[in-house]
Amino acid sequence: MQITKEFRASMNWFHTWLGIALAGILFVIFWMGTLTVFHLEINKWMMPETRTVVEVDGPLDPIVMPTIESMDLQPESSLFISPANERQSLVRLVKFGGGAPFEEYYLHPETGEVVERTDTLGATGFFYPFHYSLHVSWMGLGYWIVGLAAMAMLILVVSGVFIHRKIIQDFFTFRPKKAARRSTLDLHNMTAMIALPFHVLFPLSGILIFALIYFPNAMTTGYGGDRSALIKDTVGFFTPEVVGEPGTLPESLDSFVERAEAIWEDRDGLPARVDGVRISNAGDAGSIVMVQHAFPPRTVAMSQGNIAFSAATGEIVNDFVPRPVHNTSAWLEGAHFIRFDSWAVRWLFFFGGLAGSAMIATGMLFWMRARIRKGMEPVSVRVVRALTIGTTTGIMVSSAVFLLANRALAPDAAALGLTRAYLEVLAFFAVWIAMFIHAGVRDKRAWVDQCWAMAGVCVLAVALNWATTGGHVINTLVEGQWAVTGVDLTLLAAAACAVYAALHLRSVQANDPEMIRARRETSASEVPAE
Amino acid sequence: MAIADSMKLPTLGEKTLSAWDRTFRVTLALVGGYLLTAGYISFTSAGLPKLGMNAGEAAFFGLLTGLLIFVGFAVWVAATKFIARMAIASVLAIVLLNYTASLIVATGV
């Protein structure tokens, strides 16, 4: 099929309309997703108690069983144990269901001692859910907004590809010395092309991850609408029926782990690793212990299956092996969750996320400049510019403020009826709203202001981390605390980029006709009447 | 040449679209595309197991291929000259897919 001029024109307006309608939401999703790449490392920075550097390959029983045995377990209580690993230095134990409140414990991987962590949501509890649900929980609306944005993103990528006549050339074209509109468009095209595989992979896999939310009836058609049956058949998860008689906890979880690992190693011919252990209906005689298989080395996968054992008799109740089509879906989901062992590729994903964020931001800027050229009303220009600045640099500043607040607040801080964790969240949203207002008041100058603010906040966060924990870049590096070093260095790099951007924008704005006219008008109004 | 011309996607030509037309097309692409994809997934989830495929595999096959159909549909909606016909055809396709799926499930055929 020949791509005609008319077809390209239709893709052009479609791309523009859809892009502008959802640019803000897409930027937020991409930005939060980029931060989430290193959510466990940011957690370590935000919770200094978790900065342990220990061997994590030991047995689970001496670590978790004392805490489990002290719990009041109901017949329908469930437990989930997530072993420590290279990125998560503590063993995580959660208890849920059975009509009791959710309980979460973090256990030292050597002693099993419950670690009292800093009261914070951390990156896992704030940035991560922001990415997939925008923290809008009313009727699951956040998931739907993100899903809509993901579907639109797929269309945007395809339409964007069709728009360009010389798509390969665009990959290598960036003319910073040209007019601002030209160089902005070049940057938009270049960041789109550089990370094109990411821009296709992430929205596609994001929709797959929440497929049961977006297509609940469609997916369960083959099971007569039975969602549990679909889940059991495709991923092997199920909750057994309550027998109604009191049960006792298994004496050893490690015995189940060892049996499962032996089965997987025998089957796959590869070393096996356990991703998690789940005990369903822990207080009931019909309780099961489900051992989940993590991705093997040098593979990408959300999960490689699981084995469920009867807690009472030890016999295998269900041995789930993923099927081919679902394996494809699991591969895509695993890529989205970065479920594979490669720090180089993890960093590549981080820079891919930044490229995606830059692509969206430059798209917004290009559209704004085009509309100004076509004669958009000054008031509208001001509003659009304020929204653009607040959405882009504004959320960056407020994300840095979230980290700064974490180090600045006292461990037992509480105010306005909010716990310490939610005071950090309040700081984020208060600063974000302030950034929008600031952009509305300062107009074009807000770009420079917010770049300086970003630089200042990032440096202050690093300094406060040093002051409150004694950990600075050099000694954390020497101690092998790579996560903390990485976050500090990234904050400093962000500050350096923000300073460069501020200085560059200031020199550009010095020669901007609109800014020169504004300065003349300001000076004229200050000259006293004779 | 004649065959190639007839296979070309009908496009908008020199016509400039009104704001309403564009809004309608974007809405049809997103909402209609979503409903069409959901109908397609229902159809494959119900129909493929009758050909021997596992029901869960059928659902995920429908989902993976359905998203490709969604993108193709959206591009077609944006580019077509005959948007009214496209909208009617989409509604018919959505109804037909869902009805067929429910028929397969209800009758066990």
Side-chain angles (χ1 to χ4, degrees):
Chain A
M1 184 183 81
Q2 192 183 359
I3 299 176
T4 62
K5 200 170 66 172
E6 292 82 13
F7 181 74
R8 210 172 250 123
S10 62
M11 291 297 100
N12 200 356
W13 76 256
F14 199 52
H15 183 90
T16 304
W17 268 58
L18 210 51
I20 287 307
L22 293 164
I25 293 171
L26 282 167
F27 186 88
V28 170
I29 294 168
F30 263 77
W31 173 250
M32 288 300 168
T34 306
L35 296 180
T36 303
V37 170
F38 291 110
H39 70 109
L40 293 177
E41 286 72 24
I42 296 173
N43 281 354
K44 282 189 183 174
W45 190 94
M46 295 181 76
M47 291 177 270
E49 313 79 25
T50 64
R51 298 178 189 180
T52 59
V53 184
V54 294
E55 287 298 313
V56 295
D57 214 8
L60 279 178
D61 288 339
I63 308 302
V64 303
M65 292 309 285
T67 305
I68 293 176
E69 284 161 2
S70 70
M71 290 177 175
D72 177 25
L73 296 172
Q74 304 303 315
E76 292 184 12
S77 296
S78 290
L79 302 169
F80 183 77
I81 299 129
S82 177
N85 54 48
E86 186 188 18
R87 298 182 65 221
Q88 180 183 290
S89 53
L90 304 178
V91 176
R92 182 172 175 254
L93 167 65
V94 299
K95 171 176 168 280
F96 54 97
F102 177 85
E103 293 173 36
E104 186 177 37
Y105 302 90
Y106 284 85
L107 310 175
H108 194 281
E110 280 184 332
T111 63
E113 186 189 328
V114 175
V115 175
E116 291 299 329
R117 303 187 314 160
T118 305
D119 182 22
T120 176
L121 296 182
T124 306
F126 186 67
F127 292 149
Y128 199 166
F130 210 144
H131 167 66
Y132 63 73
S133 71
L134 306 176
H135 284 299
V136 177
S137 56
W138 181 73
M139 298 195 64
L141 186 62
Y143 291 102
W144 283 95
I145 295 172
V146 172
L148 173 72
M151 289 183 162
M153 182 72 190
L154 286 175
I155 303 170
L156 284 165
V157 170
V158 170
S159 57
V161 167
F162 277 125
I163 287 170
H164 300 286
R165 261 186 237 111
K166 298 171 189 174
I167 195 160
I168 303 298
Q169 191 174 319
D170 280 342
F171 190 88
F172 303 101
T173 305
F174 178 45
R175 293 161 284 191
K177 303 256 185 259
K178 286 274 186 179
R181 271 185 68 233
R182 181 71 256 175
S183 56
T184 305
L185 184 61
D186 284 347
L187 198 55
H188 178 71
N189 295 337
M190 195 175 73
T191 48
M193 284 304 297
I194 279 174
L196 190 61
F198 292 110
H199 303 327
V200 174
L201 172 69
F202 284 115
L204 180 70
S205 52
I207 296 167
L208 292 178
I209 289 164
F210 291 128
L212 272 179
I213 294 176
Y214 301 139
F215 304 103
N217 299 323
M219 295 287 288
T220 58
T221 304
Y223 294 91
D226 187 347
R227 188 186 165 100
S228 307
L230 168 70
I231 292 171
K232 185 177 180 186
D233 207 19
T234 52
V235 295
F237 286 133
F238 67 100
T239 303
E241 294 207 5
V242 176
V243 170
E245 289 167 20
T248 52
L249 285 168
E251 283 182 14
S252 167
L253 293 178
D254 284 319
S255 61
F256 294 108
V257 168
E258 283 159 14
R259 284 177 62 195
E261 285 177 342
I263 291 170
W264 292 324
E265 284 172 12
D266 189 51
R267 182 180 294 159
D268 302 331
L270 289 168
R273 184 174 51 177
V274 166
D275 200 23
V277 179
R278 179 181 171 127
I279 307 171
S280 297
N281 298 346
D284 186 66
S287 166
I288 61 164
V289 176
M290 183 182 289
V291 185
Q292 291 169 209
H293 190 184
F295 50 91
R298 309 184 78 79
T299 63
V300 178
M302 195 61 212
S303 165
Q304 288 289 105
N306 53 69
I307 300 179
F309 303 89
S310 163
T313 64
E315 76 178 273
I316 293 176
V317 172
N318 192 44
D319 180 1
F320 176 76
V321 179
R323 295 189 187 83
V325 175
H326 185 254
N327 251 342
T328 306
S329 177
W331 190 95
L332 291 168
E333 292 171 32
H336 192 114
F337 279 99
I338 318 180
R339 300 277 289 178
F340 49 85
D341 284 330
S342 172
W343 283 103
V345 180
R346 186 175 289 273
W347 275 103
L348 206 60
F349 272 46
F350 179 76
F351 287 114
L354 289 179
S357 305
M359 173 188 69
I360 296 164
T362 48
M364 292 161 79
L365 287 173
F366 177 73
W367 178 84
M368 191 171 65
R369 288 180 199 279
R371 296 296 293 185
I372 290 170
R373 256 173 89 93
K374 284 184 182 170
M376 190 158 68
E377 290 292 322
V379 171
S380 302
V381 170
R382 204 171 178 112
V383 169
V384 168
R385 187 176 280 135
L387 289 173
T388 305
I389 296 172
T391 305
T392 52
T393 51
I395 201 172
M396 292 180 192
V397 173
S398 53
S399 302
V401 164
F402 184 72
L403 298 182
L404 179 67
N406 172 262
R407 292 291 91 218
L409 287 170
D412 56 354
L416 307 170
L418 297 172
T419 60
R420 188 192 186 284
Y422 288 95
L423 284 175
E424 291 175 359
V425 174
L426 177 66
F428 174 94
F429 284 109
V431 168
W432 198 15
I433 291 168
M435 291 294 107
F436 280 103
I437 296 170
H438 167 260
V441 169
R442 290 278 287 171
D443 201 24
K444 255 191 186 181
R445 290 162 292 188
W447 286 115
V448 176
D449 296 345
Q450 292 191 14
C451 284
W452 284 119
M454 178 74 176
V457 171
C458 287
V459 170
L460 200 53
V462 173
L464 271 183
N465 178 49
W466 183 0
T468 55
T469 67
H472 55 74
V473 172
I474 308 234
N475 71 9
T476 53
L477 189 65
V478 166
E479 288 170 10
Q481 294 198 27
W482 307 110
V484 180
T485 311
V487 174
D488 273 349
L489 286 176
T490 304
L491 283 168
L492 291 174
C497 291
V499 167
Y500 173 78
L503 292 172
H504 176 72
L505 285 171
R506 199 169 64 176
S507 70
V508 165
Q509 287 182 356
N511 299 317
D512 183 64
E514 190 186 324
M515 296 291 288
I516 292 170
R517 194 168 48 248
R519 279 197 294 273
R520 279 190 193 142
E521 286 167 5
T522 309
S523 309
S525 67
E526 285 169 357
V527 171
E530 290 179 1
Chain B
M1 183 62 85
I3 295 170
D5 282 349
S6 71
M7 286 171 72
K8 275 186 193 171
L9 199 65
T11 60
L12 301 167
E14 296 297 323
K15 183 182 170 191
T16 303
L17 297 176
S18 68
W20 283 112
D21 198 334
R22 294 185 191 204
T23 306
F24 180 76
R25 286 171 189 263
V26 170
T27 307
L28 180 64
L30 290 176
V31 178
Y34 166 75
L35 292 173
L36 187 68
T37 307
Y40 171 79
I41 296 172
S42 290
F43 177 71
T44 52
S45 296
L48 288 178
K50 303 302 174 191
L51 301 176
M53 194 183 244
N54 170 268
E57 291 283 86
F60 276 93
F61 176 82
L63 178 63
L64 287 167
T65 51
L67 290 175
L68 298 176
I69 290 171
F70 168 78
V71 175
F73 173 79
V75 167
W76 199 341
V77 162
T80 185
K81 270 195 290 191
F82 313 112
I83 190 62
R85 290 184 216 178
M86 185 80 185
I88 293 167
S90 308
V91 170
L92 287 174
I94 291 165
V95 169
L96 194 64
L97 285 167
N98 281 294
Y99 178 71
T100 311
S102 58
L103 204 62
I104 293 171
V105 170
T107 60
V109 170

